[in-house]
Amino acid sequence: MEEKILIKSCIAKTVKNFILGSIAFFGGLAIIIFVILSQETNEGGYWSRFSRNGYEAAFGGDGGMLALFIVACYSAIFGIIMLIIFIAIMKCELTVTEKNVKGKALFGKEVVLPLYMISAFSTRKLFSTIAVATSSGITKFSLIGNYEEIGRILSQLINERQRDTVTNTATTATAQSSTMDDLVKLKALLDQGIITQEEFDAKKKQLLGL
């Protein structure tokens, strides 16, 4: 029987556009500055002098160009970091059913988490992330546009499971207590000679489900 789907994730377009914009801005800024630094002068390009002899030979008497070079390096690094983040989370998706939480986590890793194994979860506004905790660790799903709604549904499912567990435990304990009371009464009847040993043994097996 096919599982009933309770909710599916949708992509967080605002976060996606922000990351792509950051990649384009910082990457483009780094490229533009490196192009400027590579322009030839009477002493050769800043970039070529830097690659041959280091920054002192290239920028020793030009603090402004050194500052530009530093900005370009930091821009390139930040752009690469944002690109790695985007690659990690771009394939994330999440589906919640009656029995499982499944989908693709970071770097497109496919996961299936049974609801009975989920002990807790958290939602994070940064990168629109849902982190689901099980006994084997924490699985993160990012770029989830409706992460808050999914969080509410997960909260309801976990609370229902906990209530059912408490109810079943209480019912089992009550049934066990009732069985023990019946056995005590039955033993008293045997001791008083009201029932025979055979009758006692037969009723005992019946009560214990043997």
PDB file of all heavy atoms in Angstrom, residues 81-97:
ATOM      1  N   ILE A  81      33.331  29.785  -1.663  1.00  0.00           N
ATOM      2  CA  ILE A  81      32.593  29.238  -0.518  1.00  0.00           C
ATOM      3  C   ILE A  81      31.092  29.191  -0.814  1.00  0.00           C
ATOM      4  O   ILE A  81      30.421  28.186  -0.554  1.00  0.00           O
ATOM      5  CB  ILE A  81      32.863  30.070   0.753  1.00  0.00           C
ATOM      6  CG1 ILE A  81      34.309  29.882   1.212  1.00  0.00           C
ATOM      7  CG2 ILE A  81      31.901  29.673   1.880  1.00  0.00           C
ATOM      8  CD1 ILE A  81      34.714  30.795   2.352  1.00  0.00           C
ATOM      9  N   MET A  82      30.562  30.275  -1.365  1.00  0.00           N
ATOM     10  CA  MET A  82      29.140  30.317  -1.697  1.00  0.00           C
ATOM     11  C   MET A  82      28.794  29.306  -2.783  1.00  0.00           C
ATOM     12  O   MET A  82      27.719  28.698  -2.768  1.00  0.00           O
ATOM     13  CB  MET A  82      28.745  31.719  -2.144  1.00  0.00           C
ATOM     14  CG  MET A  82      28.872  32.793  -1.077  1.00  0.00           C
ATOM     15  SD  MET A  82      27.878  32.442   0.410  1.00  0.00           S
ATOM     16  CE  MET A  82      26.226  32.748  -0.213  1.00  0.00           C
ATOM     17  N   LEU A  83      29.711  29.083  -3.718  1.00  0.00           N
ATOM     18  CA  LEU A  83      29.486  28.080  -4.766  1.00  0.00           C
ATOM     19  C   LEU A  83      29.419  26.685  -4.172  1.00  0.00           C
ATOM     20  O   LEU A  83      28.553  25.875  -4.541  1.00  0.00           O
ATOM     21  CB  LEU A  83      30.600  28.164  -5.812  1.00  0.00           C
ATOM     22  CG  LEU A  83      30.534  27.134  -6.961  1.00  0.00           C
ATOM     23  CD1 LEU A  83      29.242  27.305  -7.741  1.00  0.00           C
ATOM     24  CD2 LEU A  83      31.753  27.266  -7.870  1.00  0.00           C
ATOM     25  N   ILE A  84      30.329  26.388  -3.233  1.00  0.00           N
ATOM     26  CA  ILE A  84      30.320  25.073  -2.576  1.00  0.00           C
ATOM     27  C   ILE A  84      29.014  24.878  -1.799  1.00  0.00           C
ATOM     28  O   ILE A  84      28.409  23.797  -1.828  1.00  0.00           O
ATOM     29  CB  ILE A  84      31.537  24.937  -1.643  1.00  0.00           C
ATOM     30  CG1 ILE A  84      32.833  24.902  -2.462  1.00  0.00           C
ATOM     31  CG2 ILE A  84      31.419  23.678  -0.780  1.00  0.00           C
ATOM     32  CD1 ILE A  84      34.094  24.946  -1.622  1.00  0.00           C
ATOM     33  N   ILE A  85      28.578  25.929  -1.094  1.00  0.00           N
ATOM     34  CA  ILE A  85      27.313  25.849  -0.357  1.00  0.00           C
ATOM     35  C   ILE A  85      26.149  25.575  -1.309  1.00  0.00           C
ATOM     36  O   ILE A  85      25.283  24.734  -1.032  1.00  0.00           O
ATOM     37  CB  ILE A  85      27.072  27.153   0.430  1.00  0.00           C
ATOM     38  CG1 ILE A  85      28.076  27.276   1.576  1.00  0.00           C
ATOM     39  CG2 ILE A  85      25.644  27.197   0.988  1.00  0.00           C
ATOM     40  CD1 ILE A  85      28.027  28.606   2.295  1.00  0.00           C
ATOM     41  N   PHE A  86      26.152  26.279  -2.431  1.00  0.00           N
ATOM     42  CA  PHE A  86      25.065  26.101  -3.395  1.00  0.00           C
ATOM     43  C   PHE A  86      25.048  24.676  -3.955  1.00  0.00           C
ATOM     44  O   PHE A  86      23.989  24.054  -4.076  1.00  0.00           O
ATOM     45  CB  PHE A  86      25.201  27.105  -4.536  1.00  0.00           C
ATOM     46  CG  PHE A  86      24.094  27.021  -5.546  1.00  0.00           C
ATOM     47  CD1 PHE A  86      22.807  27.443  -5.223  1.00  0.00           C
ATOM     48  CD2 PHE A  86      24.321  26.499  -6.809  1.00  0.00           C
ATOM     49  CE1 PHE A  86      21.776  27.361  -6.142  1.00  0.00           C
ATOM     50  CE2 PHE A  86      23.290  26.410  -7.740  1.00  0.00           C
ATOM     51  CZ  PHE A  86      22.017  26.839  -7.409  1.00  0.00           C
ATOM     52  N   ILE A  87      26.233  24.148  -4.277  1.00  0.00           N
ATOM     53  CA  ILE A  87      26.317  22.778  -4.784  1.00  0.00           C
ATOM     54  C   ILE A  87      25.811  21.794  -3.732  1.00  0.00           C
ATOM     55  O   ILE A  87      25.144  20.803  -4.046  1.00  0.00           O
ATOM     56  CB  ILE A  87      27.767  22.440  -5.189  1.00  0.00           C
ATOM     57  CG1 ILE A  87      28.173  23.274  -6.424  1.00  0.00           C
ATOM     58  CG2 ILE A  87      27.924  20.955  -5.494  1.00  0.00           C
ATOM     59  CD1 ILE A  87      29.640  23.147  -6.784  1.00  0.00           C
ATOM     60  N   ALA A  88      26.118  22.082  -2.456  1.00  0.00           N
ATOM     61  CA  ALA A  88      25.724  21.177  -1.368  1.00  0.00           C
ATOM     62  C   ALA A  88      24.210  21.135  -1.175  1.00  0.00           C
ATOM     63  O   ALA A  88      23.642  20.082  -0.871  1.00  0.00           O
ATOM     64  CB  ALA A  88      26.406  21.588  -0.071  1.00  0.00           C
ATOM     65  N   ILE A  89      23.541  22.272  -1.347  1.00  0.00           N
ATOM     66  CA  ILE A  89      22.127  22.336  -0.966  1.00  0.00           C
ATOM     67  C   ILE A  89      21.165  22.408  -2.146  1.00  0.00           C
ATOM     68  O   ILE A  89      19.951  22.307  -1.957  1.00  0.00           O
ATOM     69  CB  ILE A  89      21.858  23.541  -0.039  1.00  0.00           C
ATOM     70  CG1 ILE A  89      22.040  24.867  -0.794  1.00  0.00           C
ATOM     71  CG2 ILE A  89      22.755  23.486   1.177  1.00  0.00           C
ATOM     72  CD1 ILE A  89      21.765  26.089   0.052  1.00  0.00           C
ATOM     73  N   MET A  90      21.674  22.554  -3.368  1.00  0.00           N
ATOM     74  CA  MET A  90      20.777  22.790  -4.498  1.00  0.00           C
ATOM     75  C   MET A  90      19.848  21.606  -4.792  1.00  0.00           C
ATOM     76  O   MET A  90      18.762  21.779  -5.343  1.00  0.00           O
ATOM     77  CB  MET A  90      21.587  23.128  -5.763  1.00  0.00           C
ATOM     78  CG  MET A  90      22.468  21.997  -6.264  1.00  0.00           C
ATOM     79  SD  MET A  90      23.409  22.438  -7.746  1.00  0.00           S
ATOM     80  CE  MET A  90      22.109  22.640  -8.943  1.00  0.00           C
ATOM     81  N   LYS A  91      20.284  20.379  -4.425  1.00  0.00           N
ATOM     82  CA  LYS A  91      19.472  19.197  -4.711  1.00  0.00           C
ATOM     83  C   LYS A  91      18.615  18.752  -3.527  1.00  0.00           C
ATOM     84  O   LYS A  91      17.944  17.723  -3.608  1.00  0.00           O
ATOM     85  CB  LYS A  91      20.376  18.049  -5.152  1.00  0.00           C
ATOM     86  CG  LYS A  91      21.042  18.273  -6.506  1.00  0.00           C
ATOM     87  CD  LYS A  91      21.839  17.053  -6.949  1.00  0.00           C
ATOM     88  CE  LYS A  91      22.463  17.269  -8.315  1.00  0.00           C
ATOM     89  NZ  LYS A  91      23.233  16.081  -8.761  1.00  0.00           N
ATOM     90  N   CYS A  92      18.649  19.504  -2.440  1.00  0.00           N
ATOM     91  CA  CYS A  92      17.880  19.111  -1.257  1.00  0.00           C
ATOM     92  C   CYS A  92      16.378  19.142  -1.538  1.00  0.00           C
ATOM     93  O   CYS A  92      15.863  20.091  -2.133  1.00  0.00           O
ATOM     94  CB  CYS A  92      18.192  20.036  -0.077  1.00  0.00           C
ATOM     95  SG  CYS A  92      19.767  19.701   0.728  1.00  0.00           S
ATOM     96  N   GLU A  93      15.701  18.107  -1.117  1.00  0.00           N
ATOM     97  CA  GLU A  93      14.236  18.048  -1.174  1.00  0.00           C
ATOM     98  C   GLU A  93      13.752  17.141  -0.057  1.00  0.00           C
ATOM     99  O   GLU A  93      14.496  16.298   0.446  1.00  0.00           O
ATOM    100  CB  GLU A  93      13.760  17.535  -2.538  1.00  0.00           C
ATOM    101  CG  GLU A  93      14.270  16.156  -2.899  1.00  0.00           C
ATOM    102  CD  GLU A  93      13.840  15.714  -4.284  1.00  0.00           C
ATOM    103  OE1 GLU A  93      13.817  16.545  -5.208  1.00  0.00           O
ATOM    104  OE2 GLU A  93      13.525  14.514  -4.445  1.00  0.00           O
ATOM    105  N   LEU A  94      12.495  17.313   0.324  1.00  0.00           N
ATOM    106  CA  LEU A  94      11.988  16.621   1.508  1.00  0.00           C
ATOM    107  C   LEU A  94      10.515  16.284   1.324  1.00  0.00           C
ATOM    108  O   LEU A  94       9.725  17.112   0.864  1.00  0.00           O
ATOM    109  CB  LEU A  94      12.177  17.518   2.738  1.00  0.00           C
ATOM    110  CG  LEU A  94      11.691  17.011   4.094  1.00  0.00           C
ATOM    111  CD1 LEU A  94      12.428  15.732   4.470  1.00  0.00           C
ATOM    112  CD2 LEU A  94      11.926  18.069   5.153  1.00  0.00           C
ATOM    113  N   THR A  95      10.166  15.052   1.677  1.00  0.00           N
ATOM    114  CA  THR A  95       8.774  14.600   1.642  1.00  0.00           C
ATOM    115  C   THR A  95       8.446  13.938   2.975  1.00  0.00           C
ATOM    116  O   THR A  95       9.199  13.082   3.441  1.00  0.00           O
ATOM    117  CB  THR A  95       8.540  13.596   0.497  1.00  0.00           C
ATOM    118  OG1 THR A  95       8.834  14.223  -0.748  1.00  0.00           O
ATOM    119  CG2 THR A  95       7.089  13.112   0.487  1.00  0.00           C
ATOM    120  N   VAL A  96       7.347  14.345   3.580  1.00  0.00           N
ATOM    121  CA  VAL A  96       6.896  13.750   4.838  1.00  0.00           C
ATOM    122  C   VAL A  96       5.661  12.906   4.558  1.00  0.00           C
ATOM    123  O   VAL A  96       4.666  13.397   4.013  1.00  0.00           O
ATOM    124  CB  VAL A  96       6.567  14.826   5.888  1.00  0.00           C
ATOM    125  CG1 VAL A  96       6.093  14.164   7.188  1.00  0.00           C
ATOM    126  CG2 VAL A  96       7.779  15.703   6.164  1.00  0.00           C
ATOM    127  N   THR A  97       5.721  11.614   4.905  1.00  0.00           N
ATOM    128  CA  THR A  97       4.576  10.723   4.757  1.00  0.00           C
ATOM    129  C   THR A  97       4.099  10.290   6.144  1.00  0.00           C
ATOM    130  O   THR A  97       4.618  10.740   7.162  1.00  0.00           O
ATOM    131  CB  THR A  97       4.954   9.484   3.927  1.00  0.00           C
ATOM    132  OG1 THR A  97       5.830   8.642   4.703  1.00  0.00           O
ATOM    133  CG2 THR A  97       5.661   9.887   2.640  1.00  0.00           C
TER     134      THR A  97
END
